[in-house]
Amino acid sequence: MTTDNGFYHENRSEVFRFDVKRRRTTYAISYASNRRTYKPVQFELGAPFDLRIYEVTALRALNSDNLAFKERNEYTNSTRPHAGVRSEVTTVLRVLRDGIRRKWKKLHGYDIGSLFVSCGMSQGVLLFPLLNLAYRLICPDAKNLPRELREGAYEADGFARSYAITKDDKKKYADFGAFRRARNTTEAVIKLFKLPDLPSVRRVLVDDIFNAVMLKKAYELMHDENHARRLYQFATNGAGRRLEYGYYNAKPTHEGQVIYDYADMLLKAGWTESKVLRLLEAGQQAKAGKIVDFRDIRYMLTSMPTEIHQEAAKVRLRDLHDWLTWKKKELDEKGYPLKPPESVRRRLQMQITNDCMRFYLPAHTRELRAAGEELHNCVGGYGKRILQNRCNVVFMTDDSGKLLACLEVANGCLIQAKLKFNRPVSKDARANGAVIDWCRAAGIEIATHDVRELRLPMVIGENPEKVTA
């Protein structure tokens, strides 16, 4: 492929080499230029989440919108698809697929199966089919690459998140040596992810090898094989692939992972595996009128202390909703202690000596309710959020101990800073300066307009470097 431009002239060659015997596909780029010296590029293809080729290849431009695929009508100045060129590209892919299948059957003794995939819309008509051929040489008994991987890095990341696949998991899918040494793809995935070699696990992986991460988490939580299988089916059934977005989450949360965290919380509180599964499955199988009750159970359990989880393990499921409702009212009246991690307390709790301001974390929900009544705001209802580690509330008092402001911190950022009647701290210069000093000392990023940045005064017309504060 030759590229000419007014700034440089070069001859560029891209080579795809399919070694069917060694199950290896290499991609190489070489340049021939009189003006520049280019370093050759070469790497192996076949990893499903390795999309480096999208950034370096020129085949992305070879798509249906390219002028090479269209012929122009000189009278109407319009274009239409050039059937001859498209037919040639289709023929090239078909000949390549048939050749690989014939050679595979000759060398390995069985048919590798269909290698056809649709090219998609954004990466050209050749690129994704070629990547699928490389992937199938590594995983000959697996299905073709999913269509979500054909459009680029953004769609591929969304596909990985829908299967709860992390960066470390992607590296395991790129371990070519493990796939070549194993007798089949399923055995390689079982060894890479340290899954139990059971018929139920093999059936799931034969259907889709990307289910390995969710399978592993289910078998880590449940000791019984049948219980682990039922938990996996519940976590991946229907809404299990959905991603939930939240105000306090910078990244979407996998719904299946939320279910696993919920089950893990109950198991640590002393619930039996069978009772946890009956609770989850009862909510799924309930009629429309009862689904709300099971959602309420999940919400109330996740917002209550561990002691309540242990007591709830002894309650019958049909009485659990009413019991939790009564317990919630009791806790709201009585309150409960707030126990943030000691590392968080040491980081956020301090005294600013310049302004004699003290910053501290409330130890009980009663302090939150009292602060809400004193400052006339809604901080009294933040106990559940603090208990769920969704945020932290910090009180600021002056030298006399009078409460001045409430600060809300989440994900290392200050997202609210309010005075009495929900006024921003920027209305009080002394409080505003103390909050800025506290954020610097605690390493907190200011992500709210409630705090005003301090600027030194300048004399108009003079050099700013000569002006001293």
Side-chain angles (χ1 to χ4, degrees), residues 415-429:
I415 58 176
Q416 283 197 84
K418 301 295 185 182
L419 300 170
K420 195 173 183 178
F421 302 114
N422 270 335
R423 294 184 301 125
V425 295
S426 59
K427 299 294 183 181
D428 187 328

Side-chain angles (χ1 to χ4, degrees), residues 18-19 23-25 100 104 133-140:
F18 298 89
D19 190 340
R23 297 167 58 189
R24 184 188 303 273
T25 306
I100 290 177
W104 182 274
L133 293 177
Y135 166 74
R136 288 297 305 279
L137 288 181
I138 298 293
C139 305

Side-chain angles (χ1 to χ4, degrees), residues 46 48 51 70 96 120 179 187 219 222 250 270 372-373 435 468:
L51 304 179
K70 295 185 178 181
L96 182 59
F179 283 98
E187 179 182 315
Y219 279 90
M222 299 291 183
E373 294 175 359
V435 170
T468 58

Side-chain angles (χ1 to χ4, degrees), residues 296 299-301 303-304 308 321-336 384:
D296 288 346
Y299 170 75
M300 288 187 287
L301 280 172
S303 62
M304 290 183 175
I308 304 300
H321 182 270
D322 295 338
W323 183 85
L324 286 173
T325 304
W326 168 79
K327 207 68 179 177
K328 181 177 179 297
K329 292 180 181 179
E330 181 182 355
L331 282 176
D332 290 341
E333 296 175 359
K334 179 182 176 182
Y336 45 88
K384 297 172 185 176

Side-chain angles (χ1 to χ4, degrees), residues 73-84:
N73 188 320
E74 58 180 88
Y75 299 104
T76 61
N77 197 27
S78 60
T79 60
R80 60 190 180 90
H82 198 301

Side-chain angles (χ1 to χ4, degrees), residues 351-358 397-400 430:
Q351 182 167 347
I352 304 299
T353 56
N354 295 340
D355 298 310
C356 297
M357 297 291 189
R358 177 171 175 256
T397 61
D398 59 10
D399 51 358
S400 63
R430 183 186 176 193

